[in-house]
Amino acid sequence: MTDPAAKPPRKQKANAYPWYSPRIWHGMRFRPWMRLLARHRFAFHPLRVTMALIVTIFTLFNSVFYRLQLAIWGKKLKETVPHTPMVFILGHWRSGTTFLHELMSLDEAYTSPTTMQCFGPCEFLLMEDFVTRWFSWLMPSTRPMDNMTVGWAKPQEDEFALVALGVPSPYYRMAFPDHEPDGTEYLDMDGIDPAEQAKWRECLDFFIRMVTLKRDKPIILKSPTHTGRIGFLAEMYPDAKFIHISRNPMEVFASTERLWQTMDEVQSFQHPKNPKYRQYIFECFDRMYGGYFRDADKLSSDRLIETRYEDVVADPVGELAKIYAQLGLGDFEQVRPQMEEATAESRKFVRNQHQMEEELASEIYRRWKPYFDRYGYAADGTLAEEAPKAE
């Protein structure tokens, strides 16, 4: 019997993503960019050399703007204190974190990092309004891996800002996917030197302070990479609240496979020959949920709530009301009209469909069984009649 993790994914065509549109590397500073390239011995594919040169030019500008931002706002940033309650949305890639993030970002009492802030943390205090107004044409209309709309002002994943600011991240893998994955240890923060952990803390806190200085509201952050860091983040921010969203594991796996394939087409400086996506998905899950299952139950019910994508889609306003009530996020009735209007529009969203080989489905169930059991999914990934309690 062959190993399902070793099988290559079915080839799928990514949504069009213009060559001039921003990649996550465009926001980096020069020194972290050079360190990343040096670790991978500048192993560009010939057809991606031009892209690498363009990124290098951007990193030089980013380094200058970063210093200028610090010169102008450095003192204010040190004095800025993030508002409470800070909210972290957690969950595996493709489990509905973006959908939930965009709904919650409608609440004017909170703010969320925008695409401009996450892709350009080195300059957004200087240039966000200008770029958002005059350079909307740089952004494609939808994300490359699915049909969700994008834009400079849309809420975005803060992990991209951490990449740009120079701390290691699992997303480094996308630059050179034919090499051994970079940064997977940062999915659960285990085995990392305390000094490196301190740098990561400082970087995340610095970005949060920048967003707070710009918006002056409590922040809602979303990143799948934070899932296994829940204990780490709960210690950093004792008043923080956490929302975990799960989804049919079969759908999650298939959609994540497509995600990495599509992101490599857009972000990579190679043309991957043997990226081993399925093996990588299993390895990431082990780290993410090893950390999450270890630390999640240490948090009280007023700090952590778990929901399911299927429940959010079936009754989004009802699920959001439960989240607000359990975590104490404010008066939900004040935002109910906006939520109802937004969720009426979301019903028109077309979701990708996936097929699953029987052998792979069996392997997913075997390896992810604690996830199936905790969130009430049957062996085929559908919802069980009654969700069993976590042991």
Side-chain angles (χ1 to χ4, degrees):
M1 181 180 292
T2 57
D3 179 4
K7 289 184 178 179
R10 297 181 300 277
K11 188 69 174 176
Q12 301 187 57
K13 182 177 176 59
N15 293 345
Y17 197 85
W19 66 268
Y20 51 78
S21 296
R23 271 69 176 171
I24 62 176
W25 322 112
H26 283 86
M28 293 185 76
R29 288 181 291 150
F30 182 73
R31 285 186 179 179
W33 168 240
M34 286 293 107
R35 287 197 297 266
L36 175 62
L37 298 189
R39 280 202 308 277
H40 293 275
R41 304 179 299 280
F42 298 84
F44 306 118
H45 187 280
L47 294 178
R48 296 297 175 98
V49 171
T50 300
M51 176 179 164
L53 290 174
I54 292 172
V55 170
T56 301
I57 293 171
F58 269 86
T59 64
L60 290 168
F61 281 105
N62 293 337
S63 294
V64 173
F65 284 123
Y66 178 75
R67 292 297 177 187
L68 185 57
Q69 279 194 158
L70 287 181
I72 297 173
W73 284 287
K75 183 178 179 181
K76 285 188 176 180
L77 285 170
K78 289 180 180 179
E79 297 170 349
T80 299
V81 178
H83 295 278
T84 58
M86 191 183 304
V87 180
F88 289 88
I89 297 175
L90 313 175
H92 197 281
W93 295 282
R94 316 303 299 141
S95 60
T97 55
T98 298
F99 179 51
L100 186 57
H101 193 203
E102 294 200 350
L103 287 179
M104 294 190 67
S105 71
L106 297 173
D107 189 343
E108 292 293 333
Y110 293 87
T111 190
S112 295
T114 65
T115 298
M116 173 60 201
Q117 291 168 358
C118 293
F119 277 48
C122 297
E123 55 266 316
F124 78 79
L125 291 175
L126 292 165
M127 302 178 62
E128 181 175 16
D129 295 339
F130 176 76
V131 171
T132 302
R133 181 174 181 180
W134 297 106
F135 288 90
S136 59
W137 57 271
L138 286 174
M139 297 295 291
S141 59
T142 60
R143 299 198 306 183
M145 76 291 288
D146 55 27
N147 302 305
M148 295 194 74
T149 58
V150 296
W152 287 118
K154 287 281 223 175
Q156 187 55 265
E157 184 176 336
D158 57 287
E159 188 75 15
F160 297 134
L162 301 185
V163 171
L165 290 170
V167 294
S169 167
Y171 289 171
Y172 278 5
R173 185 210 68 85
M174 288 185 282
F176 297 95
D178 273 340
H179 296 181
E180 285 299 309
D182 243 353
T184 52
E185 66 274 21
Y186 282 83
L187 286 170
D188 58 4
M189 308 302 287
D190 279 351
I192 300 173
D193 182 82
E196 293 302 313
Q197 285 191 2
K199 289 179 183 178
W200 190 92
R201 289 173 185 261
E202 291 171 6
C203 185
L204 175 62
D205 197 64
F206 178 70
F207 178 67
I208 289 172
R209 288 170 184 269
M210 284 198 292
V211 176
T212 303
L213 181 62
K214 182 75 174 181
R215 304 296 184 192
D216 197 29
K217 295 178 181 180
I219 297 174
I220 301 174
L221 296 163
K222 183 277 291 195
S223 180
T225 52
H226 286 328
T227 303
R229 302 167 181 162
I230 185 170
F232 198 77
L233 294 169
E235 181 184 348
M236 280 183 69
Y237 301 106
D239 297 321
K241 311 287 187 173
F242 299 90
I243 305 166
H244 178 276
I245 184 168
S246 60
R247 188 180 184 179
N248 177 335
M250 303 302 181
E251 286 291 324
V252 166
F253 192 100
S255 191
T256 302
E257 185 178 16
R258 172 179 167 80
L259 167 70
W260 294 135
Q261 177 188 344
T262 306
M263 293 299 283
D264 285 353
E265 291 174 3
V266 172
Q267 304 288 353
S268 174
F269 297 99
Q270 300 176 321
H271 283 291
K273 298 176 182 177
N274 186 26
K276 300 179 182 177
Y277 293 120
R278 294 180 177 178
Q279 176 181 322
Y280 182 66
I281 294 169
F282 282 129
E283 291 173 355
C284 286
F285 183 93
D286 289 345
R287 278 196 174 268
M288 291 171 70
Y289 280 92
Y292 182 81
F293 291 152
R294 178 191 65 215
D295 295 327
D297 292 337
K298 298 175 184 176
L299 301 184
S300 59
S301 61
D302 64 341
R303 294 196 67 192
L304 169 65
I305 187 171
E306 296 181 331
T307 186
R308 298 184 297 200
Y309 174 79
E310 293 82 3
D311 297 330
V312 173
V313 170
D315 183 14
V317 176
E319 282 299 301
L320 285 164
K322 290 178 186 176
I323 290 170
Y324 269 65
Q326 182 169 323
L327 298 184
L329 300 182
D331 184 3
F332 183 74
E333 295 307 312
Q334 296 292 321
V335 295
R336 183 183 288 273
Q338 298 96 301
M339 299 293 185
E340 289 177 343
E341 181 180 356
T343 53
E345 287 295 316
S346 71
R347 292 189 180 96
K348 303 174 184 178
F349 178 69
V350 179
R351 295 173 176 84
N352 292 321
Q353 301 296 314
H354 305 95
Q355 295 180 343
M356 178 73 65
E357 302 105 329
E358 184 176 344
E359 184 182 358
L360 177 58
S362 297
E363 183 74 356
I364 294 169
Y365 180 69
R366 181 183 69 82
R367 297 181 68 161
W368 291 9
K369 192 173 186 301
Y371 185 99
F372 281 79
D373 292 345
R374 184 179 180 104
Y375 301 116
Y377 294 101
D380 63 356
T382 59
L383 291 177
E385 289 185 2
E386 293 185 4
K389 295 181 180 179
E391 297 180 1

